[in-house]
Structures are given as C-alpha cells and as structure tokens.
Amino acid sequence: MVNVVLVGCGAMSKAWLDAARQIDRLAIVGLVDLDADRARARAHEYDLTGAVIGTDLDAVLDQTRPDAVFDVVVPAARRQVALSAFAHHCHLLTEKPLADTPENARAIVKAARQAGRVHAVVQNRRYVADVRRIRRFLDSGAIGAATSIHADFFVAPHFGGFREEMAHVLLLDMAIHTFDAARYMVAGEPAGVYCQEWEPANSWYRQGSSASAVFDLGGGRLFTYAGSWCGAGFRTSWEGSWRIVAERGSLIWDGHDVLQAEVVAPGRDGLFDKTQPIEVPPLDPADRVGGHLGIIQDFIRAIETGTEPETRGADNIKSLAMVFGAIESAETGRRVTIAEDAQ
Ligand SMILES: NC(=O)c1ccc[n+]([C@@H]2O[C@H](COP(=O)([O-])OP(=O)(O)OC[C@H]3O[C@@H](n4cnc5c(N)ncnc54)[C@H](O)[C@@H]3O)[C@@H](O)[C@H]2O)c1
C-alpha cells in the first residue's frame, strides 16, 4: 500500500481524488489546505474519515509519515511544498507547472535527486489517445520527418481566483500543456524562442492572457503557438488545434476527434503535388493514456518498481524551459536561447 498526503484541496483536487479512489493500492492518509474547511469538505465528500486534516504540511507529514505527497497547491507555493515533501523522505507527484520560476524549478529537481525520491508532474495532456497516435504516426515515417508544428489555443474561461492575478498567466498556467505536447509529438529538443504577449482591451486578466511564440525545436523544426485566454468565439479544444507539416505530407488534429493525414502521391494536379488520405493508426495498447489517473498509476508503479516515470521532473523541466524562455523573450523583446541542459 502506498500512503499519500494530498496538499491543496481546491478545485483541482477533485480530479486527483476521483483518480486516487480507483487505485486499490493507494490510501489517502492526510489532507492539507491553508483553509481547513476545504480539507474537511474533501474528506467528507470522498469518505476519507480516517485521514488526518491539517493546515500545515510539515505537521501532517510528521504525524502520518506517508510514502508520497500529492501537491495540488497553487504554483507559488510549490517550492515550499516540494522541499517539505523531500525533507520528509516522500516521493512527490505535483500538479503542473513544476514550478513558478526557473530557479524554483531547478531547486525542486535538485532536491528530488538529492533525496533519491520519485518526482513527477501531472502533465496530463500528453496522456491523451490522439497525442500518442500522432507521435507513433510521425515516428513511423509515413509522411516523412516533421518540419513544422502549429498549435492554436483559443479558450476564454472565467475562472476567477489566482489566474486573474498572476503574471504571464497563459504561458505559465496553460501553454505548458501545449508546449509539452509539441515537444513530445516530434521528440523535439527546444533550442530557442521568440515570443510576444499582449493584453486585449476586453481581457479580464491582470497580465499575459494572450501570446504568440515561435520555437526552434531542433533538427530544422519550427513550432508556432498562438493562444488567448480571453478570445471568445470559435473555441478550440483544451488540447488546442494542430497542424503538423512533414516532408511528404501533413497532419491535422482539431484537439477533439478529427485526426487526419494526407501524404504526397505521384504526379501533379496543375501547380500542386497530388496528395491522398493516409490512415493514422489507432491507439497502440502499449500507449499510456488516462489523464490524471494514468499519470498517478505510472507514479505509483515507479515507486513500486524503482523506475522513473515518463513525466519525471528531470524531463518535464525541459518543457518548462520553453515557458520560461517564452516569458523572457516577451519581457525583453528578444529571441531567447533555451539551454540544452535545463537543469
Ligand atoms: N492538469 C490540469 O489539467 C490542471 C487544471 C487546472 C489546474 N491545474 C493546476 O492545479 C493547481 C491547483 O489549481 P486549482 O485550480 O485547484 O487552484 P485552487 O486555488 O482552487 O486551489 C488551490 C488550493 O491550494 C491551497 N494552498 C495554497 N497554498 C497552500 C499551502 N502552502 N499549503 C496548503 N494549501 C495551500 C489553497 O488554499 C487552495 O485551496 C495549479 O498548479 C494549477 O495550475 C491543473
């Protein structure tokens, strides 16, 4: 049995507890929130009558001595939570983003390494069937190597709460999913970025609701991202809307259920190379999916088998480096080099 203390009982904790109760060999032994009523409400809702409730993570860890911490707090509190978890010799699974600054990200990954604990991030939008299918299809070479990746993200939610106050809200709080998916789909090695942020007149965020970025993903591959968190109308999927251009064809995915590819065929139609549809194969049984549940299962398996999970912090920090590179570029107005070793 893996005993877990969950810290941060806000909106997102529901997704974690829904997933956790589907895993028999996992027990929630503590619930922590600055607001004790929230922790108590979750305990009641999920019938966790035996769980210790508290407002101070250190105190609850001292009392319960769990194997792992589930960190579902706001990004600004992540470093403190992570260091406390590792100081108590706990494995740590954390919500995205891994950290709120490059320094904090490096400090957390370093602390995990020094503690010798499993540290992983819920980067759940790569645990999506069509993201896995795209990666396999591109790896198969059916349309040649990818040369450019394009993602649009236009979703306009009224969350309230910390997002409306934080800086670089789109890049730091949401774009990490899209950047991570792009890096994964083409096995990219981010090398540089140019980015601009802007605040539309109708924005209800303090700063950074909208951004456009161009990344160099290595190997001559470009990734363009255009996104807004206050552009109402023609809403895209939460996964974004994608076009991937390759040497011998292209692929489009609407982020919902339309995933199509065309490959270049012999001959021309006037000015244009002929193309024909080509099937993107279904999900491979070996592909790991399932969002939060899939990631939590992989995390538990990694603890039990002494292996490293796919979304380990030491790798996820490379996706986060895309975010911080984009932020730096937006702030300075210059292209920013993304360090090869993000750690
Ligand atoms: N993976 C996803 O798809 C996804 C979706 C939404 C949010 N998130 C992430 O989940 C995290 C939480 O978001 P949310 O929407 O639940 O926020 P929220 O504000 O609803 O909840 C956060 C909770 O953490 C508590 N908290 C803050 N600092 C704390 C501390 N030091 N100790 C104990 N409790 C503390 C707050 O009191 C609050 O109850 C964020 O990092 C967010 O980016 C991920």
Side-chain angles (χ1 to χ4, degrees), residues 106-131:
R106 284 191 290 268
I108 292 170
V109 170
K110 187 174 167 196
R113 195 171 47 236
Q114 286 174 344
R117 302 284 84 186
V118 177
H119 170 227
V121 180
V122 173
Q123 206 68 71
N124 48 312
R125 295 186 188 273
R126 73 158 66 184
Y127 275 58
V128 164
D130 284 344
V131 173

mmCIF file with all atom_site columns, all heavy atoms in Angstrom, residues 106-131:
data_model
loop_
_atom_site.group_PDB
_atom_site.id
_atom_site.type_symbol
_atom_site.label_atom_id
_atom_site.label_alt_id
_atom_site.label_comp_id
_atom_site.label_asym_id
_atom_site.label_entity_id
_atom_site.label_seq_id
_atom_site.pdbx_PDB_ins_code
_atom_site.Cartn_x
_atom_site.Cartn_y
_atom_site.Cartn_z
_atom_site.occupancy
_atom_site.B_iso_or_equiv
_atom_site.pdbx_formal_charge
_atom_site.auth_seq_id
_atom_site.auth_comp_id
_atom_site.auth_asym_id
_atom_site.auth_atom_id
_atom_site.pdbx_PDB_model_num
ATOM 1   N N   . ARG A 1 106 ? 14.685 24.470 -10.813 1.00 0.00 ? 106 ARG A N   1
ATOM 2   C CA  . ARG A 1 106 ? 15.998 23.803 -10.628 1.00 0.00 ? 106 ARG A CA  1
ATOM 3   C C   . ARG A 1 106 ? 16.159 23.327 -9.191  1.00 0.00 ? 106 ARG A C   1
ATOM 4   O O   . ARG A 1 106 ? 16.663 22.224 -8.941  1.00 0.00 ? 106 ARG A O   1
ATOM 5   C CB  . ARG A 1 106 ? 17.131 24.758 -11.017 1.00 0.00 ? 106 ARG A CB  1
ATOM 6   C CG  . ARG A 1 106 ? 17.279 24.887 -12.542 1.00 0.00 ? 106 ARG A CG  1
ATOM 7   C CD  . ARG A 1 106 ? 18.569 25.612 -12.904 1.00 0.00 ? 106 ARG A CD  1
ATOM 8   N NE  . ARG A 1 106 ? 18.524 27.015 -12.541 1.00 0.00 ? 106 ARG A NE  1
ATOM 9   C CZ  . ARG A 1 106 ? 18.119 27.998 -13.361 1.00 0.00 ? 106 ARG A CZ  1
ATOM 10  N NH1 . ARG A 1 106 ? 17.738 27.707 -14.594 1.00 0.00 ? 106 ARG A NH1 1
ATOM 11  N NH2 . ARG A 1 106 ? 18.102 29.246 -12.961 1.00 0.00 ? 106 ARG A NH2 1
ATOM 12  N N   . ALA A 1 107 ? 15.732 24.161 -8.239  1.00 0.00 ? 107 ALA A N   1
ATOM 13  C CA  . ALA A 1 107 ? 15.874 23.789 -6.819  1.00 0.00 ? 107 ALA A CA  1
ATOM 14  C C   . ALA A 1 107 ? 15.052 22.539 -6.497  1.00 0.00 ? 107 ALA A C   1
ATOM 15  O O   . ALA A 1 107 ? 15.513 21.652 -5.772  1.00 0.00 ? 107 ALA A O   1
ATOM 16  C CB  . ALA A 1 107 ? 15.442 24.957 -5.930  1.00 0.00 ? 107 ALA A CB  1
ATOM 17  N N   . ILE A 1 108 ? 13.848 22.452 -7.058  1.00 0.00 ? 108 ILE A N   1
ATOM 18  C CA  . ILE A 1 108 ? 12.978 21.301 -6.774  1.00 0.00 ? 108 ILE A CA  1
ATOM 19  C C   . ILE A 1 108 ? 13.558 20.029 -7.394  1.00 0.00 ? 108 ILE A C   1
ATOM 20  O O   . ILE A 1 108 ? 13.632 18.977 -6.750  1.00 0.00 ? 108 ILE A O   1
ATOM 21  C CB  . ILE A 1 108 ? 11.538 21.564 -7.295  1.00 0.00 ? 108 ILE A CB  1
ATOM 22  C CG1 . ILE A 1 108 ? 10.867 22.677 -6.480  1.00 0.00 ? 108 ILE A CG1 1
ATOM 23  C CG2 . ILE A 1 108 ? 10.706 20.294 -7.261  1.00 0.00 ? 108 ILE A CG2 1
ATOM 24  C CD1 . ILE A 1 108 ? 9.538  23.172 -7.056  1.00 0.00 ? 108 ILE A CD1 1
ATOM 25  N N   . VAL A 1 109 ? 14.005 20.124 -8.653  1.00 0.00 ? 109 VAL A N   1
ATOM 26  C CA  . VAL A 1 109 ? 14.551 18.935 -9.330  1.00 0.00 ? 109 VAL A CA  1
ATOM 27  C C   . VAL A 1 109 ? 15.830 18.471 -8.625  1.00 0.00 ? 109 VAL A C   1
ATOM 28  O O   . VAL A 1 109 ? 16.055 17.268 -8.428  1.00 0.00 ? 109 VAL A O   1
ATOM 29  C CB  . VAL A 1 109 ? 14.794 19.231 -10.832 1.00 0.00 ? 109 VAL A CB  1
ATOM 30  C CG1 . VAL A 1 109 ? 15.577 18.113 -11.503 1.00 0.00 ? 109 VAL A CG1 1
ATOM 31  C CG2 . VAL A 1 109 ? 13.456 19.427 -11.533 1.00 0.00 ? 109 VAL A CG2 1
ATOM 32  N N   . LYS A 1 110 ? 16.634 19.437 -8.196  1.00 0.00 ? 110 LYS A N   1
ATOM 33  C CA  . LYS A 1 110 ? 17.866 19.093 -7.474  1.00 0.00 ? 110 LYS A CA  1
ATOM 34  C C   . LYS A 1 110 ? 17.540 18.414 -6.134  1.00 0.00 ? 110 LYS A C   1
ATOM 35  O O   . LYS A 1 110 ? 18.148 17.395 -5.768  1.00 0.00 ? 110 LYS A O   1
ATOM 36  C CB  . LYS A 1 110 ? 18.673 20.378 -7.226  1.00 0.00 ? 110 LYS A CB  1
ATOM 37  C CG  . LYS A 1 110 ? 20.038 20.140 -6.635  1.00 0.00 ? 110 LYS A CG  1
ATOM 38  C CD  . LYS A 1 110 ? 20.791 21.452 -6.574  1.00 0.00 ? 110 LYS A CD  1
ATOM 39  C CE  . LYS A 1 110 ? 22.028 21.310 -5.692  1.00 0.00 ? 110 LYS A CE  1
ATOM 40  N NZ  . LYS A 1 110 ? 22.574 22.575 -5.288  1.00 0.00 ? 110 LYS A NZ  1
ATOM 41  N N   . ALA A 1 111 ? 16.562 18.970 -5.429  1.00 0.00 ? 111 ALA A N   1
ATOM 42  C CA  . ALA A 1 111 ? 16.186 18.388 -4.127  1.00 0.00 ? 111 ALA A CA  1
ATOM 43  C C   . ALA A 1 111 ? 15.663 16.963 -4.305  1.00 0.00 ? 111 ALA A C   1
ATOM 44  O O   . ALA A 1 111 ? 15.950 16.086 -3.486  1.00 0.00 ? 111 ALA A O   1
ATOM 45  C CB  . ALA A 1 111 ? 15.127 19.264 -3.457  1.00 0.00 ? 111 ALA A CB  1
ATOM 46  N N   . ALA A 1 112 ? 14.925 16.713 -5.388  1.00 0.00 ? 112 ALA A N   1
ATOM 47  C CA  . ALA A 1 112 ? 14.410 15.355 -5.647  1.00 0.00 ? 112 ALA A CA  1
ATOM 48  C C   . ALA A 1 112 ? 15.570 14.392 -5.879  1.00 0.00 ? 112 ALA A C   1
ATOM 49  O O   . ALA A 1 112 ? 15.586 13.273 -5.355  1.00 0.00 ? 112 ALA A O   1
ATOM 50  C CB  . ALA A 1 112 ? 13.490 15.366 -6.867  1.00 0.00 ? 112 ALA A CB  1
ATOM 51  N N   . ARG A 1 113 ? 16.547 14.859 -6.664  1.00 0.00 ? 113 ARG A N   1
ATOM 52  C CA  . ARG A 1 113 ? 17.701 13.999 -6.975  1.00 0.00 ? 113 ARG A CA  1
ATOM 53  C C   . ARG A 1 113 ? 18.471 13.690 -5.690  1.00 0.00 ? 113 ARG A C   1
ATOM 54  O O   . ARG A 1 113 ? 18.831 12.548 -5.428  1.00 0.00 ? 113 ARG A O   1
ATOM 55  C CB  . ARG A 1 113 ? 18.596 14.715 -7.997  1.00 0.00 ? 113 ARG A CB  1
ATOM 56  C CG  . ARG A 1 113 ? 19.600 13.788 -8.659  1.00 0.00 ? 113 ARG A CG  1
ATOM 57  C CD  . ARG A 1 113 ? 20.324 14.454 -9.813  1.00 0.00 ? 113 ARG A CD  1
ATOM 58  N NE  . ARG A 1 113 ? 20.819 15.785 -9.491  1.00 0.00 ? 113 ARG A NE  1
ATOM 59  C CZ  . ARG A 1 113 ? 20.530 16.881 -10.168 1.00 0.00 ? 113 ARG A CZ  1
ATOM 60  N NH1 . ARG A 1 113 ? 19.736 16.813 -11.214 1.00 0.00 ? 113 ARG A NH1 1
ATOM 61  N NH2 . ARG A 1 113 ? 21.029 18.050 -9.822  1.00 0.00 ? 113 ARG A NH2 1
ATOM 62  N N   . GLN A 1 114 ? 18.702 14.742 -4.881  1.00 0.00 ? 114 GLN A N   1
ATOM 63  C CA  . GLN A 1 114 ? 19.472 14.540 -3.644  1.00 0.00 ? 114 GLN A CA  1
ATOM 64  C C   . GLN A 1 114 ? 18.735 13.627 -2.666  1.00 0.00 ? 114 GLN A C   1
ATOM 65  O O   . GLN A 1 114 ? 19.352 12.838 -1.960  1.00 0.00 ? 114 GLN A O   1
ATOM 66  C CB  . GLN A 1 114 ? 19.785 15.884 -2.999  1.00 0.00 ? 114 GLN A CB  1
ATOM 67  C CG  . GLN A 1 114 ? 20.881 16.627 -3.756  1.00 0.00 ? 114 GLN A CG  1
ATOM 68  C CD  . GLN A 1 114 ? 21.123 18.034 -3.233  1.00 0.00 ? 114 GLN A CD  1
ATOM 69  O OE1 . GLN A 1 114 ? 20.303 18.591 -2.499  1.00 0.00 ? 114 GLN A OE1 1
ATOM 70  N NE2 . GLN A 1 114 ? 22.248 18.618 -3.634  1.00 0.00 ? 114 GLN A NE2 1
ATOM 71  N N   . ALA A 1 115 ? 17.404 13.744 -2.657  1.00 0.00 ? 115 ALA A N   1
ATOM 72  C CA  . ALA A 1 115 ? 16.626 12.912 -1.732  1.00 0.00 ? 115 ALA A CA  1
ATOM 73  C C   . ALA A 1 115 ? 16.472 11.491 -2.269  1.00 0.00 ? 115 ALA A C   1
ATOM 74  O O   . ALA A 1 115 ? 16.070 10.581 -1.541  1.00 0.00 ? 115 ALA A O   1
ATOM 75  C CB  . ALA A 1 115 ? 15.248 13.536 -1.505  1.00 0.00 ? 115 ALA A CB  1
ATOM 76  N N   . GLY A 1 116 ? 16.750 11.313 -3.590  1.00 0.00 ? 116 GLY A N   1
ATOM 77  C CA  . GLY A 1 116 ? 16.597 9.988  -4.196  1.00 0.00 ? 116 GLY A CA  1
ATOM 78  C C   . GLY A 1 116 ? 15.146 9.536  -4.238  1.00 0.00 ? 116 GLY A C   1
ATOM 79  O O   . GLY A 1 116 ? 14.836 8.360  -4.109  1.00 0.00 ? 116 GLY A O   1
ATOM 80  N N   . ARG A 1 117 ? 14.246 10.501 -4.429  1.00 0.00 ? 117 ARG A N   1
ATOM 81  C CA  . ARG A 1 117 ? 12.820 10.192 -4.452  1.00 0.00 ? 117 ARG A CA  1
ATOM 82  C C   . ARG A 1 117 ? 12.250 10.350 -5.862  1.00 0.00 ? 117 ARG A C   1
ATOM 83  O O   . ARG A 1 117 ? 12.784 11.101 -6.669  1.00 0.00 ? 117 ARG A O   1
ATOM 84  C CB  . ARG A 1 117 ? 12.047 11.137 -3.513  1.00 0.00 ? 117 ARG A CB  1
ATOM 85  C CG  . ARG A 1 117 ? 12.490 11.117 -2.068  1.00 0.00 ? 117 ARG A CG  1
ATOM 86  C CD  . ARG A 1 117 ? 12.001 9.875  -1.319  1.00 0.00 ? 117 ARG A CD  1
ATOM 87  N NE  . ARG A 1 117 ? 12.879 8.734  -1.530  1.00 0.00 ? 117 ARG A NE  1
ATOM 88  C CZ  . ARG A 1 117 ? 12.637 7.503  -1.086  1.00 0.00 ? 117 ARG A CZ  1
ATOM 89  N NH1 . ARG A 1 117 ? 11.548 7.258  -0.424  1.00 0.00 ? 117 ARG A NH1 1
ATOM 90  N NH2 . ARG A 1 117 ? 13.478 6.515  -1.313  1.00 0.00 ? 117 ARG A NH2 1
ATOM 91  N N   . VAL A 1 118 ? 11.155 9.646  -6.141  1.00 0.00 ? 118 VAL A N   1
ATOM 92  C CA  . VAL A 1 118 ? 10.466 9.815  -7.427  1.00 0.00 ? 118 VAL A CA  1
ATOM 93  C C   . VAL A 1 118 ? 9.781  11.177 -7.405  1.00 0.00 ? 118 VAL A C   1
ATOM 94  O O   . VAL A 1 118 ? 9.095  11.526 -6.443  1.00 0.00 ? 118 VAL A O   1
ATOM 95  C CB  . VAL A 1 118 ? 9.408  8.708  -7.653  1.00 0.00 ? 118 VAL A CB  1
ATOM 96  C CG1 . VAL A 1 118 ? 8.647  8.951  -8.957  1.00 0.00 ? 118 VAL A CG1 1
ATOM 97  C CG2 . VAL A 1 118 ? 10.059 7.335  -7.656  1.00 0.00 ? 118 VAL A CG2 1
ATOM 98  N N   . HIS A 1 119 ? 9.997  11.946 -8.475  1.00 0.00 ? 119 HIS A N   1
ATOM 99  C CA  . HIS A 1 119 ? 9.378  13.269 -8.590  1.00 0.00 ? 119 HIS A CA  1
ATOM 100 C C   . HIS A 1 119 ? 8.787  13.367 -9.991  1.00 0.00 ? 119 HIS A C   1
ATOM 101 O O   . HIS A 1 119 ? 9.512  13.243 -10.981 1.00 0.00 ? 119 HIS A O   1
ATOM 102 C CB  . HIS A 1 119 ? 10.438 14.354 -8.379  1.00 0.00 ? 119 HIS A CB  1
ATOM 103 C CG  . HIS A 1 119 ? 9.959  15.735 -8.713  1.00 0.00 ? 119 HIS A CG  1
ATOM 104 N ND1 . HIS A 1 119 ? 10.685 16.624 -9.477  1.00 0.00 ? 119 HIS A ND1 1
ATOM 105 C CD2 . HIS A 1 119 ? 8.802  16.376 -8.395  1.00 0.00 ? 119 HIS A CD2 1
ATOM 106 C CE1 . HIS A 1 119 ? 10.011 17.745 -9.595  1.00 0.00 ? 119 HIS A CE1 1
ATOM 107 N NE2 . HIS A 1 119 ? 8.877  17.627 -8.956  1.00 0.00 ? 119 HIS A NE2 1
ATOM 108 N N   . ALA A 1 120 ? 7.480  13.550 -10.072 1.00 0.00 ? 120 ALA A N   1
ATOM 109 C CA  . ALA A 1 120 ? 6.847  13.619 -11.393 1.00 0.00 ? 120 ALA A CA  1
ATOM 110 C C   . ALA A 1 120 ? 5.790  14.715 -11.410 1.00 0.00 ? 120 ALA A C   1
ATOM 111 O O   . ALA A 1 120 ? 5.333  15.180 -10.358 1.00 0.00 ? 120 ALA A O   1
ATOM 112 C CB  . ALA A 1 120 ? 6.223  12.280 -11.751 1.00 0.00 ? 120 ALA A CB  1
ATOM 113 N N   . VAL A 1 121 ? 5.425  15.118 -12.624 1.00 0.00 ? 121 VAL A N   1
ATOM 114 C CA  . VAL A 1 121 ? 4.494  16.229 -12.826 1.00 0.00 ? 121 VAL A CA  1
ATOM 115 C C   . VAL A 1 121 ? 3.256  15.714 -13.558 1.00 0.00 ? 121 VAL A C   1
ATOM 116 O O   . VAL A 1 121 ? 3.365  14.894 -14.471 1.00 0.00 ? 121 VAL A O   1
ATOM 117 C CB  . VAL A 1 121 ? 5.172  17.338 -13.678 1.00 0.00 ? 121 VAL A CB  1
ATOM 118 C CG1 . VAL A 1 121 ? 4.227  18.507 -13.891 1.00 0.00 ? 121 VAL A CG1 1
ATOM 119 C CG2 . VAL A 1 121 ? 6.470  17.782 -13.033 1.00 0.00 ? 121 VAL A CG2 1
ATOM 120 N N   . VAL A 1 122 ? 2.093  16.215 -13.145 1.00 0.00 ? 122 VAL A N   1
ATOM 121 C CA  . VAL A 1 122 ? 0.861  15.862 -13.859 1.00 0.00 ? 122 VAL A CA  1
ATOM 122 C C   . VAL A 1 122 ? 0.770  16.718 -15.122 1.00 0.00 ? 122 VAL A C   1
ATOM 123 O O   . VAL A 1 122 ? 0.167  17.780 -15.126 1.00 0.00 ? 122 VAL A O   1
ATOM 124 C CB  . VAL A 1 122 ? -0.379 16.041 -12.958 1.00 0.00 ? 122 VAL A CB  1
ATOM 125 C CG1 . VAL A 1 122 ? -1.659 15.846 -13.761 1.00 0.00 ? 122 VAL A CG1 1
ATOM 126 C CG2 . VAL A 1 122 ? -0.341 15.031 -11.829 1.00 0.00 ? 122 VAL A CG2 1
ATOM 127 N N   . GLN A 1 123 ? 1.449  16.239 -16.153 1.00 0.00 ? 123 GLN A N   1
ATOM 128 C CA  . GLN A 1 123 ? 1.365  16.892 -17.464 1.00 0.00 ? 123 GLN A CA  1
ATOM 129 C C   . GLN A 1 123 ? 0.404  16.038 -18.271 1.00 0.00 ? 123 GLN A C   1
ATOM 130 O O   . GLN A 1 123 ? 0.791  15.319 -19.196 1.00 0.00 ? 123 GLN A O   1
ATOM 131 C CB  . GLN A 1 123 ? 2.782  16.945 -18.086 1.00 0.00 ? 123 GLN A CB  1
ATOM 132 C CG  . GLN A 1 123 ? 2.956  18.070 -19.075 1.00 0.00 ? 123 GLN A CG  1
ATOM 133 C CD  . GLN A 1 123 ? 2.917  19.428 -18.415 1.00 0.00 ? 123 GLN A CD  1
ATOM 134 O OE1 . GLN A 1 123 ? 3.828  19.796 -17.718 1.00 0.00 ? 123 GLN A OE1 1
ATOM 135 N NE2 . GLN A 1 123 ? 1.850  20.197 -18.645 1.00 0.00 ? 123 GLN A NE2 1
ATOM 136 N N   . ASN A 1 124 ? -0.868 16.124 -17.855 1.00 0.00 ? 124 ASN A N   1
ATOM 137 C CA  . ASN A 1 124 ? -1.852 15.126 -18.266 1.00 0.00 ? 124 ASN A CA  1
ATOM 138 C C   . ASN A 1 124 ? -2.255 15.195 -19.725 1.00 0.00 ? 124 ASN A C   1
ATOM 139 O O   . ASN A 1 124 ? -2.818 14.262 -20.266 1.00 0.00 ? 124 ASN A O   1
ATOM 140 C CB  . ASN A 1 124 ? -3.101 15.236 -17.379 1.00 0.00 ? 124 ASN A CB  1
ATOM 141 C CG  . ASN A 1 124 ? -3.585 16.662 -17.242 1.00 0.00 ? 124 ASN A CG  1
ATOM 142 O OD1 . ASN A 1 124 ? -2.806 17.556 -16.963 1.00 0.00 ? 124 ASN A OD1 1
ATOM 143 N ND2 . ASN A 1 124 ? -4.866 16.883 -17.432 1.00 0.00 ? 124 ASN A ND2 1
ATOM 144 N N   . ARG A 1 125 ? -1.937 16.316 -20.404 1.00 0.00 ? 125 ARG A N   1
ATOM 145 C CA  . ARG A 1 125 ? -2.403 16.414 -21.788 1.00 0.00 ? 125 ARG A CA  1
ATOM 146 C C   . ARG A 1 125 ? -1.485 15.693 -22.780 1.00 0.00 ? 125 ARG A C   1
ATOM 147 O O   . ARG A 1 125 ? -1.683 15.790 -23.984 1.00 0.00 ? 125 ARG A O   1
ATOM 148 C CB  . ARG A 1 125 ? -2.661 17.865 -22.154 1.00 0.00 ? 125 ARG A CB  1
ATOM 149 C CG  . ARG A 1 125 ? -3.812 18.364 -21.309 1.00 0.00 ? 125 ARG A CG  1
ATOM 150 C CD  . ARG A 1 125 ? -4.323 19.715 -21.602 1.00 0.00 ? 125 ARG A CD  1
ATOM 151 N NE  . ARG A 1 125 ? -5.286 20.058 -20.572 1.00 0.00 ? 125 ARG A NE  1
ATOM 152 C CZ  . ARG A 1 125 ? -6.576 19.747 -20.620 1.00 0.00 ? 125 ARG A CZ  1
ATOM 153 N NH1 . ARG A 1 125 ? -7.074 19.151 -21.659 1.00 0.00 ? 125 ARG A NH1 1
ATOM 154 N NH2 . ARG A 1 125 ? -7.369 20.073 -19.628 1.00 0.00 ? 125 ARG A NH2 1
ATOM 155 N N   . ARG A 1 126 ? -0.473 14.981 -22.260 1.00 0.00 ? 126 ARG A N   1
ATOM 156 C CA  . ARG A 1 126 ? 0.209  14.052 -23.161 1.00 0.00 ? 126 ARG A CA  1
ATOM 157 C C   . ARG A 1 126 ? -0.331 12.635 -22.946 1.00 0.00 ? 126 ARG A C   1
ATOM 158 O O   . ARG A 1 126 ? -0.069 11.747 -23.749 1.00 0.00 ? 126 ARG A O   1
ATOM 159 C CB  . ARG A 1 126 ? 1.732  14.115 -23.030 1.00 0.00 ? 126 ARG A CB  1
ATOM 160 C CG  . ARG A 1 126 ? 2.323  13.529 -21.812 1.00 0.00 ? 126 ARG A CG  1
ATOM 161 C CD  . ARG A 1 126 ? 3.789  13.155 -21.993 1.00 0.00 ? 126 ARG A CD  1
ATOM 162 N NE  . ARG A 1 126 ? 4.705  14.252 -22.194 1.00 0.00 ? 126 ARG A NE  1
ATOM 163 C CZ  . ARG A 1 126 ? 6.014  14.095 -22.437 1.00 0.00 ? 126 ARG A CZ  1
ATOM 164 N NH1 . ARG A 1 126 ? 6.521  12.882 -22.534 1.00 0.00 ? 126 ARG A NH1 1
ATOM 165 N NH2 . ARG A 1 126 ? 6.816  15.112 -22.589 1.00 0.00 ? 126 ARG A NH2 1
ATOM 166 N N   . TYR A 1 127 ? -1.108 12.439 -21.868 1.00 0.00 ? 127 TYR A N   1
ATOM 167 C CA  . TYR A 1 127 ? -1.747 11.137 -21.639 1.00 0.00 ? 127 TYR A CA  1
ATOM 168 C C   . TYR A 1 127 ? -3.111 11.113 -22.323 1.00 0.00 ? 127 TYR A C   1
ATOM 169 O O   . TYR A 1 127 ? -4.135 10.790 -21.719 1.00 0.00 ? 127 TYR A O   1
ATOM 170 C CB  . TYR A 1 127 ? -1.884 10.870 -20.142 1.00 0.00 ? 127 TYR A CB  1
ATOM 171 C CG  . TYR A 1 127 ? -0.639 10.270 -19.519 1.00 0.00 ? 127 TYR A CG  1
ATOM 172 C CD1 . TYR A 1 127 ? 0.580  10.925 -19.590 1.00 0.00 ? 127 TYR A CD1 1
ATOM 173 C CD2 . TYR A 1 127 ? -0.675 9.050  -18.864 1.00 0.00 ? 127 TYR A CD2 1
ATOM 174 C CE1 . TYR A 1 127 ? 1.735  10.392 -19.037 1.00 0.00 ? 127 TYR A CE1 1
ATOM 175 C CE2 . TYR A 1 127 ? 0.477  8.499  -18.306 1.00 0.00 ? 127 TYR A CE2 1
ATOM 176 C CZ  . TYR A 1 127 ? 1.664  9.175  -18.401 1.00 0.00 ? 127 TYR A CZ  1
ATOM 177 O OH  . TYR A 1 127 ? 2.791  8.632  -17.850 1.00 0.00 ? 127 TYR A OH  1
ATOM 178 N N   . VAL A 1 128 ? -3.095 11.500 -23.603 1.00 0.00 ? 128 VAL A N   1
ATOM 179 C CA  . VAL A 1 128 ? -4.315 11.626 -24.403 1.00 0.00 ? 128 VAL A CA  1
ATOM 180 C C   . VAL A 1 128 ? -4.120 10.748 -25.641 1.00 0.00 ? 128 VAL A C   1
ATOM 181 O O   . VAL A 1 128 ? -3.052 10.770 -26.261 1.00 0.00 ? 128 VAL A O   1
ATOM 182 C CB  . VAL A 1 128 ? -4.507 13.113 -24.806 1.00 0.00 ? 128 VAL A CB  1
ATOM 183 C CG1 . VAL A 1 128 ? -5.506 13.270 -25.919 1.00 0.00 ? 128 VAL A CG1 1
ATOM 184 C CG2 . VAL A 1 128 ? -4.918 13.933 -23.583 1.00 0.00 ? 128 VAL A CG2 1
ATOM 185 N N   . ALA A 1 129 ? -5.153 9.977  -25.996 1.00 0.00 ? 129 ALA A N   1
ATOM 186 C CA  . ALA A 1 129 ? -5.006 8.977  -27.061 1.00 0.00 ? 129 ALA A CA  1
ATOM 187 C C   . ALA A 1 129 ? -4.467 9.579  -28.357 1.00 0.00 ? 129 ALA A C   1
ATOM 188 O O   . ALA A 1 129 ? -3.533 9.040  -28.962 1.00 0.00 ? 129 ALA A O   1
ATOM 189 C CB  . ALA A 1 129 ? -6.354 8.297  -27.301 1.00 0.00 ? 129 ALA A CB  1
ATOM 190 N N   . ASP A 1 130 ? -5.028 10.698 -28.804 1.00 0.00 ? 130 ASP A N   1
ATOM 191 C CA  . ASP A 1 130 ? -4.610 11.225 -30.103 1.00 0.00 ? 130 ASP A CA  1
ATOM 192 C C   . ASP A 1 130 ? -3.188 11.794 -30.068 1.00 0.00 ? 130 ASP A C   1
ATOM 193 O O   . ASP A 1 130 ? -2.487 11.795 -31.090 1.00 0.00 ? 130 ASP A O   1
ATOM 194 C CB  . ASP A 1 130 ? -5.606 12.278 -30.603 1.00 0.00 ? 130 ASP A CB  1
ATOM 195 C CG  . ASP A 1 130 ? -6.878 11.618 -31.137 1.00 0.00 ? 130 ASP A CG  1
ATOM 196 O OD1 . ASP A 1 130 ? -6.846 10.397 -31.382 1.00 0.00 ? 130 ASP A OD1 1
ATOM 197 O OD2 . ASP A 1 130 ? -7.895 12.310 -31.292 1.00 0.00 ? 130 ASP A OD2 1
ATOM 198 N N   . VAL A 1 131 ? -2.741 12.268 -28.918 1.00 0.00 ? 131 VAL A N   1
ATOM 199 C CA  . VAL A 1 131 ? -1.350 12.731 -28.811 1.00 0.00 ? 131 VAL A CA  1
ATOM 200 C C   . VAL A 1 131 ? -0.410 11.542 -28.992 1.00 0.00 ? 131 VAL A C   1
ATOM 201 O O   . VAL A 1 131 ? 0.600  11.618 -29.720 1.00 0.00 ? 131 VAL A O   1
ATOM 202 C CB  . VAL A 1 131 ? -1.111 13.427 -27.457 1.00 0.00 ? 131 VAL A CB  1
ATOM 203 C CG1 . VAL A 1 131 ? 0.360  13.765 -27.258 1.00 0.00 ? 131 VAL A CG1 1
ATOM 204 C CG2 . VAL A 1 131 ? -1.966 14.691 -27.363 1.00 0.00 ? 131 VAL A CG2 1
#
